[in-house]
């Protein structure tokens, strides 16, 4: 029996000379793997619908293991991402992050919508770095690693100057900063944006202009937090770092 779903292509692996195993994030069932027979053939009706990042409707024969993809209909190919090396790098990172975190067959409509909206914004040319930082911050709640951002992680104080402590798992006020000599000093803008990115409804995102210095602060804090607590090792992270270095040289 075939069933229809709404899905985003997270990953593809070549299988034999002509087939692909495609990992889909579906709105209805969560993450599922399907066999796309003949999808590597240029004239296959499954070729275009199994490209990375593609968003569409898919007709699937489900099974306990790898299901079978019968047909697909593209809603949005998100070509703008695939045609830009920088957009490809950032989108590949958020997609792999999602793939690593999501368990098989665990529906999460919130995460599906979050990923879809992020990819659409990237496709439309919005700030790739900011979109990635927002996504990373929101994923911390999904994986059960929420930082203390509403106040000091030690005393709870909510006003004043703050730094960020990886050891304490969040902000430190100026009265508690001696608790961590390795804390990250933060500008008031970085403090505000970390809070905003964590709580923001992404669908309400407007134009955000952030200085390069503030972006660097956000990058260092978020990366260090993930490195300390997530246990994730992502191939696309290394590629993204190389792309960021290239971007800096071009600027």
């Amino acid at each position: 029996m075939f069933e229809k779903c709404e899905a985003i292509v997270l990953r593809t692996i070549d299988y034999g000379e002509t087939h692909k195993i495609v990992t889909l994030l579906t709105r209805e069932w969560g993450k599922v793997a399907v066999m796309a027979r003949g999808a590597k053939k240029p004239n296959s009706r499954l070729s275009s619908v199994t490209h990375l990042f593609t968003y569409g409707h898919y007709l699937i024969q489900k099974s306990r293991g790898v299901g079978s993809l019968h047909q697909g209909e593209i809603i949005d190919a998100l070509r703008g991402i695939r045609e830009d090396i920088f957009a490809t790098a950032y989108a590949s990172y958020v997609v792999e992050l999602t793939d690593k975190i999501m368990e098989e067959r665990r529906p999460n409509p919130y995460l599906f919508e979050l990923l879809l909206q992020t990819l659409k914004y990237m496709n439309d040319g919005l700030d790739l770095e900011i979109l990635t930082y927002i996504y990373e911050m929101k994923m911390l709640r999904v994986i059960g690693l929420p930082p203390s951002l509403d106040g000091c992680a030690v005393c709870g104080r909510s006003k004043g100057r703050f730094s960020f402590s990886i050891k304490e798992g969040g902000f430190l006020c100026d009265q508690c900063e001696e608790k961590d000599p390795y804390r990250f000093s933060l500008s008031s803008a970085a403090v505000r944006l970390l809070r905003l990115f964590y709580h923001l409804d992404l669908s309400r995102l407007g134009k955000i202009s952030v200085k390069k210095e503030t972006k660097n602060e956000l990058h260092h804090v978020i990366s260090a937090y993930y490195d300390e607590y997530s246990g994730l090792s992502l191939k696309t992270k290394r590629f993204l770092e190389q792309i960021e270095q290239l971007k800096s040289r071009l600027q």
Side-chain angles (χ1 to χ4, degrees):
M1 178 179 176
F2 289 97
E3 298 181 66
K4 192 174 184 179
C5 67
E6 184 182 348
I8 302 164
V9 177
L10 294 183
R11 176 165 44 100
T12 65
I13 300 173
D14 291 345
Y15 186 83
E17 294 184 1
T18 61
H19 311 317
K20 290 181 184 178
I21 296 177
V22 183
T23 301
L24 299 172
L25 180 63
T26 73
R27 187 185 293 276
E28 296 84 355
W29 315 313
K31 188 172 73 170
V32 297
V34 293
M35 176 70 74
R37 298 188 181 280
K40 289 173 64 179
K41 296 178 180 179
N43 60 348
S44 169
R45 57 190 169 81
L46 298 181
S47 177
S48 61
V49 300
T50 55
H51 287 154
L52 188 62
F53 314 128
T54 299
Y55 165 52
H57 287 126
Y58 295 85
L59 196 61
I60 293 171
Q61 187 174 28
K62 293 170 68 179
S63 72
R64 291 185 179 179
V66 177
S68 178
L69 177 61
H70 180 63
Q71 66 183 47
E73 178 185 357
I74 296 174
I75 299 173
D76 193 339
L78 299 172
R79 293 185 185 278
I81 293 177
R82 294 202 303 272
E83 293 172 355
D84 182 293
I85 188 173
F86 298 109
T88 298
Y90 284 93
S92 296
Y93 171 70
V94 300
V95 163
E96 187 186 9
L97 178 60
T98 307
D99 187 18
K100 290 284 188 181
I101 287 172
M102 281 292 291
E103 296 181 36
E104 296 279 347
R105 304 173 190 273
R106 289 286 184 90
N108 190 327
Y110 165 78
L111 182 53
F112 180 89
E113 198 60 43
L114 179 65
L115 178 60
L116 178 59
Q117 186 66 74
T118 300
L119 293 176
K120 284 184 174 181
Y121 280 148
M122 288 182 169
N123 190 66
D124 291 341
L126 274 67
D127 192 305
L128 296 167
E129 292 168 284
I130 293 301
L131 288 171
T132 301
Y133 301 151
I134 293 173
Y135 197 83
E136 288 178 311
M137 290 301 294
K138 292 193 169 300
M139 288 297 280
L140 289 174
R141 182 185 286 117
V142 176
I143 59 182
L145 295 173
S148 297
L149 300 176
D150 294 328
C152 176
V154 175
C155 72
R157 186 181 176 200
S158 59
K159 294 182 180 180
R161 180 174 56 83
F162 292 94
S163 55
F164 193 94
S165 169
I166 301 300
K167 183 179 86 133
E168 299 296 339
F171 289 146
L172 289 181
C173 69
D174 52 2
Q175 295 180 8
C176 296
E177 59 185 16
E178 73 277 359
K179 296 282 186 181
D180 184 3
Y182 302 105
R183 66 192 178 275
F184 288 90
S185 297
L186 294 177
S187 63
S188 59
V191 170
R192 179 175 56 83
L193 288 172
L194 283 170
R195 284 175 173 158
L196 175 65
F197 293 171
Y198 187 74
H199 294 293
L200 176 72
D201 178 352
L202 190 59
S203 66
R204 300 170 65 94
L205 179 67
K207 185 176 181 182
I208 296 181
S209 179
V210 180
K211 294 180 180 178
K212 184 62 179 175
E213 295 79 8
T214 308
K215 285 184 178 181
N216 288 338
E217 292 180 80
L218 298 172
H219 173 72
H220 290 146
V221 166
I222 296 171
S223 292
Y225 195 85
Y226 267 86
D227 289 346
E228 180 67 22
Y229 294 112
S230 74
L232 297 172
S233 178
L234 306 180
K235 294 179 181 178
T236 51
K237 182 69 172 178
R238 293 187 290 273
F239 176 55
L240 184 56
E241 289 169 353
Q242 295 171 345
I243 287 294
E244 287 173 339
Q245 292 172 4
L246 174 61
K247 191 175 183 180
S248 296
R249 288 199 295 270
L250 292 176
Q251 291 174 342

